[in-house]
Amino acid sequence: MDSSSVHERLNAVFRHLLQQPCEANPVLHKVLLTSRHLQKQEAAEPVIIGGMVLDIHATPSIPANPRTTTPGKVNYVLGGVARNVAECMSKLGAKPYMISALGLDMAGIRRQKDINTAVVSNILDVNGELAAAVASVESIEKFLTPDWIRQFIRHISSAPVLMVDANLSPPALAASFAAECNIPVWFEPVSVTKSRRITSVVKYISVVSPNEDELVAMANALSGENMFRPIDRNKHLAESLFQTLKPAILVLLEKGIRLVVLTLGSDGVLLCSKELLSSMRIGPGKTKTYGFIRDLYETVTSRCHSSRYSGATEPAGGSQFFAVHFPALPASVVRLTGAGDCLVGGTLASISAGLDVMQSVAVGIAAAKAAVEAETNVPSQFNLTAIADDAKTVYAAANVLFYQSML
């Protein structure tokens, strides 16, 4: 047998091994863990799996009336939760690896002529708030298949963090974790309806980023009961909102999710965990970074000192439940459609650079502010000084709402 044949046989064996579950193959498990450790030292790429969408934004220039046309503007905008997150991360200096599906028909990653690119038509009000939307994203579920995702097993298994959005079908979500060996996984719920897809993969999830309606839907789905009801956020301040939603948050934490990043729009973000938030990290910690993201890491660590929130310490021999409220930043709002995705993108980019969870969420909120002031879902660029200054403001204003020893 010549050397080329030997090489082909070895590759075939390795490809076969890569298709086996890590837990069922201790040798593979060790090889992948060693490989991942080495690759992470060289700043392995975060992996983002989910939708790439053409957004159509219809914004009236006067309050719209039903059953008639209204003057305004219609814009075509690059969108999709996962795509927006990946673009935000890229513009903050991270290098995410995107897995998705896209058609050749319009907005033109899996591209082929029989795919109709996913489209979402958003109807906005005069304040840039989403009034209604119609999503035609069947192509994501049809073509972003388990077989397609498994082709990227080596990228997934070496990633410092994996983000999936709930545009994926349940089988595709499961395939995303086929190579999962202790990789932190961020689940972005996308919508109330799709958020319930977490039930089949919750054991893999480290972080979730729902709004209050998605939180209620996930808690009901995971508990198997319809015990939680949607709430009117306008009737609650942040602390009373937290007390109302705390039972639903605990359902997710009891299922093993490490961190709930609850987005509250203009009321900011609630960060909830059973772990000590002031020292919590997701992923491998600091990696080799360059350019914008390295400068962001250095600037934020110098301005947002973790010692500020070191007053609450972990009780010996017991567990605890922590909650911290981060306020939103005042902004000149143009449109709000990209705010949540840039919050996630900014947080993930910061986590990948080695910032702790609280520092990373502060950067995420700063990125969200930049997003609401832009015409597109993701700003054309981020200003390092502005992001760092805004992150410092948010971090300094964070408020510990709840700390309880659960002995």
Side-chain angles (χ1 to χ4, degrees), residues 221-252:
L222 289 169
S223 65
E225 302 178 29
N226 198 28
M227 58 190 298
F228 303 105
R229 295 285 183 268
I231 65 170
D232 184 352
R233 178 163 28 107
N234 295 324
K235 295 182 179 179
H236 296 270
L237 297 175
E239 186 160 1
S240 65
L241 185 63
F242 165 68
Q243 294 298 334
T244 302
L245 291 172
K246 187 170 66 175
I249 294 168
L250 276 169
V251 170
L252 274 62

PDB file of all heavy atoms in Angstrom, residues 221-252:
ATOM      1  N   ALA A 221     -42.710  25.230  29.134  1.00  0.00           N
ATOM      2  CA  ALA A 221     -42.349  24.048  28.350  1.00  0.00           C
ATOM      3  C   ALA A 221     -41.462  23.106  29.154  1.00  0.00           C
ATOM      4  O   ALA A 221     -41.636  21.875  29.114  1.00  0.00           O
ATOM      5  CB  ALA A 221     -41.637  24.470  27.062  1.00  0.00           C
ATOM      6  N   LEU A 222     -40.514  23.654  29.904  1.00  0.00           N
ATOM      7  CA  LEU A 222     -39.578  22.825  30.661  1.00  0.00           C
ATOM      8  C   LEU A 222     -40.230  22.204  31.899  1.00  0.00           C
ATOM      9  O   LEU A 222     -39.829  21.127  32.338  1.00  0.00           O
ATOM     10  CB  LEU A 222     -38.358  23.650  31.069  1.00  0.00           C
ATOM     11  CG  LEU A 222     -37.407  24.034  29.929  1.00  0.00           C
ATOM     12  CD1 LEU A 222     -36.387  25.057  30.401  1.00  0.00           C
ATOM     13  CD2 LEU A 222     -36.702  22.808  29.378  1.00  0.00           C
ATOM     14  N   SER A 223     -41.197  22.880  32.470  1.00  0.00           N
ATOM     15  CA  SER A 223     -41.866  22.350  33.663  1.00  0.00           C
ATOM     16  C   SER A 223     -42.975  21.371  33.304  1.00  0.00           C
ATOM     17  O   SER A 223     -43.454  20.628  34.166  1.00  0.00           O
ATOM     18  CB  SER A 223     -42.450  23.503  34.494  1.00  0.00           C
ATOM     19  OG  SER A 223     -43.477  24.167  33.778  1.00  0.00           O
ATOM     20  N   GLY A 224     -43.396  21.392  32.026  1.00  0.00           N
ATOM     21  CA  GLY A 224     -44.483  20.516  31.605  1.00  0.00           C
ATOM     22  C   GLY A 224     -45.830  20.974  32.083  1.00  0.00           C
ATOM     23  O   GLY A 224     -46.821  20.234  32.001  1.00  0.00           O
ATOM     24  N   GLU A 225     -45.888  22.201  32.581  1.00  0.00           N
ATOM     25  CA  GLU A 225     -47.149  22.751  33.074  1.00  0.00           C
ATOM     26  C   GLU A 225     -47.315  24.169  32.528  1.00  0.00           C
ATOM     27  O   GLU A 225     -46.357  24.823  32.173  1.00  0.00           O
ATOM     28  CB  GLU A 225     -47.161  22.793  34.607  1.00  0.00           C
ATOM     29  CG  GLU A 225     -46.960  21.435  35.266  1.00  0.00           C
ATOM     30  CD  GLU A 225     -46.930  21.560  36.770  1.00  0.00           C
ATOM     31  OE1 GLU A 225     -47.574  22.485  37.301  1.00  0.00           O
ATOM     32  OE2 GLU A 225     -46.244  20.745  37.411  1.00  0.00           O
ATOM     33  N   ASN A 226     -48.545  24.618  32.502  1.00  0.00           N
ATOM     34  CA  ASN A 226     -48.826  25.979  32.043  1.00  0.00           C
ATOM     35  C   ASN A 226     -49.050  26.873  33.258  1.00  0.00           C
ATOM     36  O   ASN A 226     -50.079  27.524  33.398  1.00  0.00           O
ATOM     37  CB  ASN A 226     -50.059  25.972  31.124  1.00  0.00           C
ATOM     38  CG  ASN A 226     -50.134  27.234  30.281  1.00  0.00           C
ATOM     39  OD1 ASN A 226     -49.130  27.843  29.961  1.00  0.00           O
ATOM     40  ND2 ASN A 226     -51.344  27.633  29.952  1.00  0.00           N
ATOM     41  N   MET A 227     -48.050  26.905  34.141  1.00  0.00           N
ATOM     42  CA  MET A 227     -48.219  27.571  35.430  1.00  0.00           C
ATOM     43  C   MET A 227     -47.798  29.039  35.421  1.00  0.00           C
ATOM     44  O   MET A 227     -48.115  29.783  36.352  1.00  0.00           O
ATOM     45  CB  MET A 227     -47.424  26.818  36.500  1.00  0.00           C
ATOM     46  CG  MET A 227     -45.940  26.693  36.217  1.00  0.00           C
ATOM     47  SD  MET A 227     -45.092  25.567  37.361  1.00  0.00           S
ATOM     48  CE  MET A 227     -45.371  26.388  38.924  1.00  0.00           C
ATOM     49  N   PHE A 228     -47.086  29.477  34.387  1.00  0.00           N
ATOM     50  CA  PHE A 228     -46.631  30.864  34.320  1.00  0.00           C
ATOM     51  C   PHE A 228     -47.406  31.615  33.250  1.00  0.00           C
ATOM     52  O   PHE A 228     -47.697  31.079  32.187  1.00  0.00           O
ATOM     53  CB  PHE A 228     -45.133  30.923  34.029  1.00  0.00           C
ATOM     54  CG  PHE A 228     -44.299  30.172  35.032  1.00  0.00           C
ATOM     55  CD1 PHE A 228     -43.742  28.937  34.707  1.00  0.00           C
ATOM     56  CD2 PHE A 228     -44.105  30.670  36.309  1.00  0.00           C
ATOM     57  CE1 PHE A 228     -42.987  28.232  35.624  1.00  0.00           C
ATOM     58  CE2 PHE A 228     -43.350  29.967  37.242  1.00  0.00           C
ATOM     59  CZ  PHE A 228     -42.793  28.743  36.900  1.00  0.00           C
ATOM     60  N   ARG A 229     -47.719  32.866  33.540  1.00  0.00           N
ATOM     61  CA  ARG A 229     -48.499  33.678  32.624  1.00  0.00           C
ATOM     62  C   ARG A 229     -47.685  34.880  32.150  1.00  0.00           C
ATOM     63  O   ARG A 229     -46.854  35.402  32.897  1.00  0.00           O
ATOM     64  CB  ARG A 229     -49.768  34.183  33.323  1.00  0.00           C
ATOM     65  CG  ARG A 229     -50.730  33.079  33.713  1.00  0.00           C
ATOM     66  CD  ARG A 229     -51.479  32.552  32.502  1.00  0.00           C
ATOM     67  NE  ARG A 229     -52.467  31.544  32.868  1.00  0.00           N
ATOM     68  CZ  ARG A 229     -52.225  30.256  32.892  1.00  0.00           C
ATOM     69  NH1 ARG A 229     -51.016  29.799  32.602  1.00  0.00           N
ATOM     70  NH2 ARG A 229     -53.171  29.383  33.224  1.00  0.00           N
ATOM     71  N   PRO A 230     -47.928  35.326  30.917  1.00  0.00           N
ATOM     72  CA  PRO A 230     -47.266  36.554  30.441  1.00  0.00           C
ATOM     73  C   PRO A 230     -47.609  37.719  31.372  1.00  0.00           C
ATOM     74  O   PRO A 230     -48.694  37.766  31.963  1.00  0.00           O
ATOM     75  CB  PRO A 230     -47.861  36.757  29.046  1.00  0.00           C
ATOM     76  CG  PRO A 230     -48.319  35.412  28.622  1.00  0.00           C
ATOM     77  CD  PRO A 230     -48.785  34.723  29.876  1.00  0.00           C
ATOM     78  N   ILE A 231     -46.661  38.651  31.486  1.00  0.00           N
ATOM     79  CA  ILE A 231     -46.872  39.784  32.383  1.00  0.00           C
ATOM     80  C   ILE A 231     -46.820  41.085  31.601  1.00  0.00           C
ATOM     81  O   ILE A 231     -46.299  41.145  30.485  1.00  0.00           O
ATOM     82  CB  ILE A 231     -45.815  39.805  33.508  1.00  0.00           C
ATOM     83  CG1 ILE A 231     -44.420  40.053  32.913  1.00  0.00           C
ATOM     84  CG2 ILE A 231     -45.833  38.530  34.319  1.00  0.00           C
ATOM     85  CD1 ILE A 231     -43.383  40.329  33.958  1.00  0.00           C
ATOM     86  N   ASP A 232     -47.344  42.131  32.194  1.00  0.00           N
ATOM     87  CA  ASP A 232     -47.281  43.465  31.613  1.00  0.00           C
ATOM     88  C   ASP A 232     -46.083  44.176  32.221  1.00  0.00           C
ATOM     89  O   ASP A 232     -46.128  44.619  33.375  1.00  0.00           O
ATOM     90  CB  ASP A 232     -48.581  44.220  31.900  1.00  0.00           C
ATOM     91  CG  ASP A 232     -48.616  45.595  31.223  1.00  0.00           C
ATOM     92  OD1 ASP A 232     -47.581  46.010  30.660  1.00  0.00           O
ATOM     93  OD2 ASP A 232     -49.679  46.241  31.264  1.00  0.00           O
ATOM     94  N   ARG A 233     -45.005  44.263  31.430  1.00  0.00           N
ATOM     95  CA  ARG A 233     -43.780  44.868  31.958  1.00  0.00           C
ATOM     96  C   ARG A 233     -43.984  46.321  32.358  1.00  0.00           C
ATOM     97  O   ARG A 233     -43.302  46.840  33.251  1.00  0.00           O
ATOM     98  CB  ARG A 233     -42.666  44.768  30.918  1.00  0.00           C
ATOM     99  CG  ARG A 233     -41.386  45.409  31.385  1.00  0.00           C
ATOM    100  CD  ARG A 233     -40.145  45.031  30.621  1.00  0.00           C
ATOM    101  NE  ARG A 233     -40.305  44.653  29.261  1.00  0.00           N
ATOM    102  CZ  ARG A 233     -39.943  45.422  28.230  1.00  0.00           C
ATOM    103  NH1 ARG A 233     -39.501  46.638  28.444  1.00  0.00           N
ATOM    104  NH2 ARG A 233     -40.055  44.974  27.002  1.00  0.00           N
ATOM    105  N   ASN A 234     -44.907  47.005  31.738  1.00  0.00           N
ATOM    106  CA  ASN A 234     -45.117  48.426  32.028  1.00  0.00           C
ATOM    107  C   ASN A 234     -45.636  48.672  33.438  1.00  0.00           C
ATOM    108  O   ASN A 234     -45.588  49.787  33.946  1.00  0.00           O
ATOM    109  CB  ASN A 234     -46.089  49.037  31.013  1.00  0.00           C
ATOM    110  CG  ASN A 234     -45.518  49.026  29.606  1.00  0.00           C
ATOM    111  OD1 ASN A 234     -44.326  49.207  29.410  1.00  0.00           O
ATOM    112  ND2 ASN A 234     -46.376  48.806  28.605  1.00  0.00           N
ATOM    113  N   LYS A 235     -46.146  47.615  34.075  1.00  0.00           N
ATOM    114  CA  LYS A 235     -46.689  47.763  35.427  1.00  0.00           C
ATOM    115  C   LYS A 235     -45.656  47.448  36.500  1.00  0.00           C
ATOM    116  O   LYS A 235     -45.987  47.434  37.682  1.00  0.00           O
ATOM    117  CB  LYS A 235     -47.912  46.846  35.591  1.00  0.00           C
ATOM    118  CG  LYS A 235     -49.083  47.228  34.703  1.00  0.00           C
ATOM    119  CD  LYS A 235     -50.269  46.304  34.951  1.00  0.00           C
ATOM    120  CE  LYS A 235     -51.462  46.682  34.079  1.00  0.00           C
ATOM    121  NZ  LYS A 235     -52.619  45.768  34.291  1.00  0.00           N
ATOM    122  N   HIS A 236     -44.425  47.175  36.106  1.00  0.00           N
ATOM    123  CA  HIS A 236     -43.415  46.747  37.075  1.00  0.00           C
ATOM    124  C   HIS A 236     -42.130  47.555  36.930  1.00  0.00           C
ATOM    125  O   HIS A 236     -41.713  47.886  35.818  1.00  0.00           O
ATOM    126  CB  HIS A 236     -43.068  45.268  36.874  1.00  0.00           C
ATOM    127  CG  HIS A 236     -44.203  44.332  37.136  1.00  0.00           C
ATOM    128  ND1 HIS A 236     -44.461  43.793  38.371  1.00  0.00           N
ATOM    129  CD2 HIS A 236     -45.157  43.822  36.299  1.00  0.00           C
ATOM    130  CE1 HIS A 236     -45.505  42.991  38.288  1.00  0.00           C
ATOM    131  NE2 HIS A 236     -45.950  42.999  37.045  1.00  0.00           N
ATOM    132  N   LEU A 237     -41.504  47.869  38.061  1.00  0.00           N
ATOM    133  CA  LEU A 237     -40.129  48.325  38.050  1.00  0.00           C
ATOM    134  C   LEU A 237     -39.232  47.093  38.009  1.00  0.00           C
ATOM    135  O   LEU A 237     -39.693  45.957  38.178  1.00  0.00           O
ATOM    136  CB  LEU A 237     -39.843  49.162  39.292  1.00  0.00           C
ATOM    137  CG  LEU A 237     -40.654  50.467  39.432  1.00  0.00           C
ATOM    138  CD1 LEU A 237     -40.352  51.133  40.770  1.00  0.00           C
ATOM    139  CD2 LEU A 237     -40.357  51.419  38.270  1.00  0.00           C
ATOM    140  N   ALA A 238     -37.932  47.325  37.792  1.00  0.00           N
ATOM    141  CA  ALA A 238     -37.019  46.195  37.594  1.00  0.00           C
ATOM    142  C   ALA A 238     -37.069  45.209  38.754  1.00  0.00           C
ATOM    143  O   ALA A 238     -37.131  43.994  38.553  1.00  0.00           O
ATOM    144  CB  ALA A 238     -35.597  46.714  37.393  1.00  0.00           C
ATOM    145  N   GLU A 239     -37.070  45.715  39.996  1.00  0.00           N
ATOM    146  CA  GLU A 239     -37.010  44.800  41.136  1.00  0.00           C
ATOM    147  C   GLU A 239     -38.313  44.012  41.291  1.00  0.00           C
ATOM    148  O   GLU A 239     -38.300  42.802  41.543  1.00  0.00           O
ATOM    149  CB  GLU A 239     -36.707  45.568  42.423  1.00  0.00           C
ATOM    150  CG  GLU A 239     -36.496  44.650  43.615  1.00  0.00           C
ATOM    151  CD  GLU A 239     -35.748  45.309  44.748  1.00  0.00           C
ATOM    152  OE1 GLU A 239     -35.398  46.505  44.615  1.00  0.00           O
ATOM    153  OE2 GLU A 239     -35.510  44.625  45.747  1.00  0.00           O
ATOM    154  N   SER A 240     -39.467  44.674  41.128  1.00  0.00           N
ATOM    155  CA  SER A 240     -40.733  43.945  41.247  1.00  0.00           C
ATOM    156  C   SER A 240     -40.913  42.990  40.070  1.00  0.00           C
ATOM    157  O   SER A 240     -41.506  41.909  40.219  1.00  0.00           O
ATOM    158  CB  SER A 240     -41.905  44.924  41.326  1.00  0.00           C
ATOM    159  OG  SER A 240     -42.057  45.656  40.130  1.00  0.00           O
ATOM    160  N   LEU A 241     -40.365  43.367  38.898  1.00  0.00           N
ATOM    161  CA  LEU A 241     -40.413  42.479  37.740  1.00  0.00           C
ATOM    162  C   LEU A 241     -39.613  41.212  38.022  1.00  0.00           C
ATOM    163  O   LEU A 241     -40.044  40.095  37.713  1.00  0.00           O
ATOM    164  CB  LEU A 241     -39.860  43.201  36.514  1.00  0.00           C
ATOM    165  CG  LEU A 241     -39.937  42.472  35.174  1.00  0.00           C
ATOM    166  CD1 LEU A 241     -41.385  42.232  34.783  1.00  0.00           C
ATOM    167  CD2 LEU A 241     -39.232  43.283  34.094  1.00  0.00           C
ATOM    168  N   PHE A 242     -38.460  41.405  38.637  1.00  0.00           N
ATOM    169  CA  PHE A 242     -37.636  40.247  38.982  1.00  0.00           C
ATOM    170  C   PHE A 242     -38.358  39.335  39.963  1.00  0.00           C
ATOM    171  O   PHE A 242     -38.371  38.108  39.799  1.00  0.00           O
ATOM    172  CB  PHE A 242     -36.305  40.709  39.564  1.00  0.00           C
ATOM    173  CG  PHE A 242     -35.552  39.616  40.271  1.00  0.00           C
ATOM    174  CD1 PHE A 242     -35.020  38.556  39.552  1.00  0.00           C
ATOM    175  CD2 PHE A 242     -35.414  39.628  41.648  1.00  0.00           C
ATOM    176  CE1 PHE A 242     -34.348  37.529  40.195  1.00  0.00           C
ATOM    177  CE2 PHE A 242     -34.752  38.602  42.297  1.00  0.00           C
ATOM    178  CZ  PHE A 242     -34.216  37.559  41.567  1.00  0.00           C
ATOM    179  N   GLN A 243     -38.971  39.910  40.982  1.00  0.00           N
ATOM    180  CA  GLN A 243     -39.670  39.089  41.968  1.00  0.00           C
ATOM    181  C   GLN A 243     -40.820  38.308  41.324  1.00  0.00           C
ATOM    182  O   GLN A 243     -41.084  37.158  41.679  1.00  0.00           O
ATOM    183  CB  GLN A 243     -40.209  39.973  43.101  1.00  0.00           C
ATOM    184  CG  GLN A 243     -39.128  40.631  43.944  1.00  0.00           C
ATOM    185  CD  GLN A 243     -38.238  39.647  44.669  1.00  0.00           C
ATOM    186  OE1 GLN A 243     -38.641  38.521  44.956  1.00  0.00           O
ATOM    187  NE2 GLN A 243     -37.008  40.051  44.977  1.00  0.00           N
ATOM    188  N   THR A 244     -41.481  38.928  40.342  1.00  0.00           N
ATOM    189  CA  THR A 244     -42.576  38.253  39.650  1.00  0.00           C
ATOM    190  C   THR A 244     -42.075  37.102  38.788  1.00  0.00           C
ATOM    191  O   THR A 244     -42.700  36.047  38.707  1.00  0.00           O
ATOM    192  CB  THR A 244     -43.339  39.269  38.775  1.00  0.00           C
ATOM    193  OG1 THR A 244     -43.835  40.329  39.600  1.00  0.00           O
ATOM    194  CG2 THR A 244     -44.500  38.602  38.052  1.00  0.00           C
ATOM    195  N   LEU A 245     -40.922  37.321  38.138  1.00  0.00           N
ATOM    196  CA  LEU A 245     -40.400  36.334  37.193  1.00  0.00           C
ATOM    197  C   LEU A 245     -39.459  35.319  37.840  1.00  0.00           C
ATOM    198  O   LEU A 245     -39.062  34.349  37.190  1.00  0.00           O
ATOM    199  CB  LEU A 245     -39.665  37.044  36.055  1.00  0.00           C
ATOM    200  CG  LEU A 245     -40.547  37.861  35.104  1.00  0.00           C
ATOM    201  CD1 LEU A 245     -39.682  38.664  34.142  1.00  0.00           C
ATOM    202  CD2 LEU A 245     -41.496  36.957  34.324  1.00  0.00           C
ATOM    203  N   LYS A 246     -39.107  35.524  39.099  1.00  0.00           N
ATOM    204  CA  LYS A 246     -38.134  34.661  39.764  1.00  0.00           C
ATOM    205  C   LYS A 246     -38.495  33.184  39.707  1.00  0.00           C
ATOM    206  O   LYS A 246     -37.625  32.340  39.424  1.00  0.00           O
ATOM    207  CB  LYS A 246     -37.932  35.119  41.212  1.00  0.00           C
ATOM    208  CG  LYS A 246     -36.821  34.381  41.933  1.00  0.00           C
ATOM    209  CD  LYS A 246     -36.507  35.053  43.274  1.00  0.00           C
ATOM    210  CE  LYS A 246     -37.668  34.952  44.230  1.00  0.00           C
ATOM    211  NZ  LYS A 246     -37.343  35.486  45.575  1.00  0.00           N
ATOM    212  N   PRO A 247     -39.750  32.781  39.934  1.00  0.00           N
ATOM    213  CA  PRO A 247     -40.073  31.337  39.842  1.00  0.00           C
ATOM    214  C   PRO A 247     -39.797  30.764  38.457  1.00  0.00           C
ATOM    215  O   PRO A 247     -39.320  29.628  38.343  1.00  0.00           O
ATOM    216  CB  PRO A 247     -41.571  31.301  40.183  1.00  0.00           C
ATOM    217  CG  PRO A 247     -41.803  32.512  41.015  1.00  0.00           C
ATOM    218  CD  PRO A 247     -40.902  33.567  40.434  1.00  0.00           C
ATOM    219  N   ALA A 248     -40.083  31.543  37.400  1.00  0.00           N
ATOM    220  CA  ALA A 248     -39.807  31.056  36.044  1.00  0.00           C
ATOM    221  C   ALA A 248     -38.305  30.965  35.799  1.00  0.00           C
ATOM    222  O   ALA A 248     -37.823  30.011  35.165  1.00  0.00           O
ATOM    223  CB  ALA A 248     -40.459  31.982  35.021  1.00  0.00           C
ATOM    224  N   ILE A 249     -37.557  31.936  36.300  1.00  0.00           N
ATOM    225  CA  ILE A 249     -36.096  31.906  36.154  1.00  0.00           C
ATOM    226  C   ILE A 249     -35.521  30.676  36.842  1.00  0.00           C
ATOM    227  O   ILE A 249     -34.642  29.989  36.307  1.00  0.00           O
ATOM    228  CB  ILE A 249     -35.478  33.193  36.745  1.00  0.00           C
ATOM    229  CG1 ILE A 249     -35.906  34.418  35.928  1.00  0.00           C
ATOM    230  CG2 ILE A 249     -33.944  33.096  36.789  1.00  0.00           C
ATOM    231  CD1 ILE A 249     -35.578  35.742  36.590  1.00  0.00           C
ATOM    232  N   LEU A 250     -36.050  30.361  38.022  1.00  0.00           N
ATOM    233  CA  LEU A 250     -35.547  29.213  38.776  1.00  0.00           C
ATOM    234  C   LEU A 250     -35.797  27.894  38.048  1.00  0.00           C
ATOM    235  O   LEU A 250     -35.003  26.960  38.165  1.00  0.00           O
ATOM    236  CB  LEU A 250     -36.193  29.177  40.164  1.00  0.00           C
ATOM    237  CG  LEU A 250     -35.521  30.067  41.214  1.00  0.00           C
ATOM    238  CD1 LEU A 250     -36.386  30.167  42.460  1.00  0.00           C
ATOM    239  CD2 LEU A 250     -34.136  29.545  41.564  1.00  0.00           C
ATOM    240  N   VAL A 251     -36.884  27.813  37.287  1.00  0.00           N
ATOM    241  CA  VAL A 251     -37.130  26.595  36.499  1.00  0.00           C
ATOM    242  C   VAL A 251     -35.956  26.344  35.564  1.00  0.00           C
ATOM    243  O   VAL A 251     -35.458  25.212  35.453  1.00  0.00           O
ATOM    244  CB  VAL A 251     -38.449  26.714  35.698  1.00  0.00           C
ATOM    245  CG1 VAL A 251     -38.560  25.565  34.695  1.00  0.00           C
ATOM    246  CG2 VAL A 251     -39.646  26.701  36.638  1.00  0.00           C
ATOM    247  N   LEU A 252     -35.487  27.398  34.881  1.00  0.00           N
ATOM    248  CA  LEU A 252     -34.376  27.248  33.943  1.00  0.00           C
ATOM    249  C   LEU A 252     -33.082  26.904  34.673  1.00  0.00           C
ATOM    250  O   LEU A 252     -32.328  26.020  34.247  1.00  0.00           O
ATOM    251  CB  LEU A 252     -34.192  28.533  33.129  1.00  0.00           C
ATOM    252  CG  LEU A 252     -35.053  28.655  31.858  1.00  0.00           C
ATOM    253  CD1 LEU A 252     -36.546  28.666  32.189  1.00  0.00           C
ATOM    254  CD2 LEU A 252     -34.686  29.920  31.078  1.00  0.00           C
TER     255      LEU A 252
END
